[in-house]
Structure formats: structure tokens, C-alpha cells
Amino acid sequence: MRNLIFIFVVLCNSIYAQNSHLSFNGITLNGDAATVYSNLVKKGFYQSTDKDYTVEGTFIIPRASIEVLRTEESNKAFGVEISYILPTKWGMEATKDTLVDYIQKKYKAVWIGGYGKDKYEVNQYITPDKTKGVFILFHPYTYDGDGRTEFPITLAILDKTNYMNYIVSKKPHLEFLGIPINGTIDSFQKKLASKGIQIDTQRNRYGGKGIRKFKGNFYGYKGCEIDVVYHENTNIVFRVDVFIKNAPETNDKIMGKIAYQVGDYYKKGNLRSVEQWSSDYSSCKIKATRYNGEVEFDDVLGNINISSVSITHSVTVSFWDDFNDTRYY
């Protein structure tokens, strides 16, 4: 009897482990990427000669390219990316509708938001339980007269557990005073406390959901008001606002000092920062990237916006983490 109970428990755990991860075409998106890849080949897809861990064939429509998304170090699968290149705008829009219909019927996926970036439109979906699957649809803006001859469209189907564990937790983030702008608001608060930044009890009473208010020193300026903004549904932080008030210098001088110190911080970290001042010198944007040279889509860590608050000697500095700001997982 004891052995039977043990076998039953093992089987239940195994079933739970399999069912706790998202599947694609009957293949669980978990474990070794090579296994997921070979299972796709067994399903009738043929191996691509152009890209590793990629198969080609018909998925919903012909000429689909399906790549197994995986971690670089452990080679663990966390999803698949299905791509098409269509010859017409109409074909791309029809494919978009077909893919959305597929994830809505197959996974009961619901739309949770979208945004535009670099002439592309990104739409995000998630399974109703919010713990299993994430879907990202990526395609050009669908307007006429842009001179395109090819219309690419991509759908990423991601197992949320593995995606969060292997990608989000390892992805570099914009930093605030050396602290990555990532993680829950409670964990972020503890890290701020180690820097001498404490909760501002009086102001925090009126902060409301999605914002927590602190006070502390910032690059030599004392008693600054510091607001940390986080997503209400996940508690993940994505922005830090610093308010420097009634400083002895002019606004331009404060902004110049902060821009220099922040830019210098990223350069010392073997990163690249791009400063961009407005025409009236009332605002400055610093884009922090991971590599020198041309900035790619995923290279951007985030933006630091420095601007005058008023005619008094007051400046606001906002740190926006690119990943957590634009993705609502």
C-alpha cells in the first residue's frame, strides 16, 4: 500500500508539472530546448538550414518559421516564436486576425495592452489564470503608402513561469543609485533603505495604489522627494521619480550636474548613454544602452528624463526602465 501511495504521488506530481506549463501543438514548453525542437520535427515540420533550433512548414498557413526560444546558458525552452513574411499588407492583416483568433480559441487568451515602437505595433495577451501563458504579436503599423514590399509578422507564445524565471530575472535593467529598477515594490523598498532612503509616511498616505513615496539624498542633494511607481497587477516597479526642490543653483546647473553624473555612471559600467537636450534647455533625456555603436531594440535599458519643474530652483529626474515600463506581465 505504501508503495502504491508513493507511485500515486509521483504520478500526480508529474502530471502537475506537465500541466503547469504552457503547451504548443501538443508539446510542453519546458525542459531542454533540443527536446522541444526534435518534437517539432516529429510533428512533421522540417529543419531550417538558416537558423538553429528553427523549423519550417505549415502552421495555420504555409511558410511558417518556428524558432524554439531558449536561454543562452542552460538551453532551457521558454517558448516558441512563429514568424511569417507576407507579400501584401492585406495578407499581413489577415494573418494577424487569424493568429489572434487562434490564441483566443486555443488558450482563451485575453488582450492586456499594446504599444508602438520604431514603426512597429506590439500587442500583448495572457491566459485567464495569469500564470501560464504570455502572447506577444509584433508587426509593422498597418498604414498605406509606406513603400513596403514585405510585411513580417511574429507571434511569440511563452510559458510564463519559464519566461519570468529565465528571461525577466536575467535581463539587465536600468539602475537607480546602483539598484536595478526591477522586482516587487516591497523588495525595492528594502534596497532603497540600504541606501538611506526611507518611506515618507506623511506623503505616502496620499500616494494611492501603484505609487510609494520616499525621501532621501540624491547625488548630493539632500531631502529629495522620491516616488517609486509600480504596476498594480504585478507589483513590479518600473519608474523612479526624484524631485529636487529649492536648490541653491539654477535649474540649468542642476540638470547639467545630474546629466553628467548619471552619464558618467553608465560609462564607467561599460555601458553607453546618449544625452539629448531640448531646444530651450529645459529638459534632457539620457538613453542608457548596453553596447556601444548602433542601438538595437533590446539594447535599451531605459531613459532618464531631467526637466525643470517651475521657475524656482527645482528639477525632476525620472528613471524609466524600458522592459518593465512597456510590458505588463
Side-chain angles (χ1 to χ4, degrees), residues 292-310:
N292 289 319
E294 186 176 351
V295 178
E296 297 292 339
F297 176 79
D298 288 329
D299 292 342
V300 179
L301 300 186
N303 295 315
I304 301 99
N305 301 327
I306 310 171
S307 59
S308 300
V309 176
S310 65

Side-chain angles (χ1 to χ4, degrees), residues 22 107-110 125-135:
L22 200 70
Y107 299 99
K108 311 299 182 187
V110 294
Y125 300 79
I126 197 167
T127 50
D129 59 10
K130 298 182 180 179
T131 61
K132 205 164 187 179
V134 174
F135 310 87

Side-chain angles (χ1 to χ4, degrees), residues 163 167-168 171 173 301 321-327 329:
Y163 181 69
I167 297 301
V168 178
K171 182 178 176 65
H173 290 270
L301 300 186
D321 179 77
D322 185 69
F323 190 88
N324 288 332
D325 172 37
T326 56
R327 296 156 177 83
Y329 304 148

Side-chain angles (χ1 to χ4, degrees), residues 88-272:
T88 65
K89 173 193 166 205
W90 178 88
M92 182 193 68
E93 290 180 336
T95 302
K96 177 183 70 174
D97 293 340
T98 302
L99 291 173
V100 171
D101 185 64
Y102 168 76
I103 61 174
Q104 287 177 335
K105 290 181 178 178
K106 174 69 177 177
Y107 299 99
K108 311 299 182 187
V110 294
W111 187 78
I112 59 169
Y115 60 95
K117 192 158 189 170
D118 299 331
K119 297 184 179 180
Y120 278 79
E121 183 178 337
V122 182
N123 282 287
Q124 301 166 134
Y125 300 79
I126 197 167
T127 50
D129 59 10
K130 298 182 180 179
T131 61
K132 205 164 187 179
V134 174
F135 310 87
I136 304 174
L137 189 63
F138 183 82
H139 58 84
Y141 281 127
T142 54
Y143 57 84
D144 292 313
D146 61 355
R148 288 182 179 274
T149 57
E150 293 182 341
F151 291 82
I153 184 168
T154 297
L155 173 66
I157 297 179
L158 309 170
D159 175 80
K160 187 174 182 183
T161 299
N162 288 336
Y163 181 69
M164 295 297 286
N165 287 342
Y166 301 143
I167 297 301
V168 178
S169 62
K170 295 181 181 297
K171 182 178 176 65
H173 290 270
L174 188 72
E175 294 184 355
F176 172 73
L177 298 180
I179 305 170
I181 302 176
N182 190 34
T184 65
I185 180 61
D186 290 335
S187 65
F188 196 77
Q189 180 174 335
K190 292 178 182 177
K191 294 171 183 176
L192 288 177
S194 69
K195 299 284 186 178
I197 297 173
Q198 302 296 329
I199 195 80
D200 190 333
T201 307
Q202 184 174 357
R203 286 197 316 122
N204 198 54
R205 287 182 203 162
Y206 310 102
K209 185 72 173 174
I211 186 169
R212 194 168 293 181
K213 296 179 176 291
F214 300 83
K215 57 184 176 182
N217 300 336
F218 175 75
Y219 283 120
Y221 293 96
K222 297 181 179 179
C224 298
E225 295 178 356
I226 301 171
D227 292 354
V228 179
V229 187
Y230 58 96
H231 293 302
E232 294 184 27
N233 57 335
T234 63
N235 287 330
I236 300 296
V237 300
F238 67 91
R239 192 176 97 222
V240 181
D241 296 332
V242 181
F243 303 97
I244 304 169
K245 295 187 173 182
N246 304 316
E249 302 101 329
T250 63
N251 290 358
D252 283 350
K253 189 170 183 180
I254 297 171
M255 293 167 62
K257 286 173 65 175
I258 297 300
Y260 174 79
Q261 292 180 83
V262 170
D264 190 56
Y265 172 81
Y266 281 102
K267 288 170 184 173
K268 286 181 179 178
N270 199 27
L271 298 169
R272 178 173 181 259

Side-chain angles (χ1 to χ4, degrees), residues 6-19:
F6 173 77
I7 292 171
F8 177 75
V9 170
V10 169
L11 285 173
C12 286
N13 287 339
S14 175
I15 291 170
Y16 174 77
Q18 292 175 5
N19 291 338

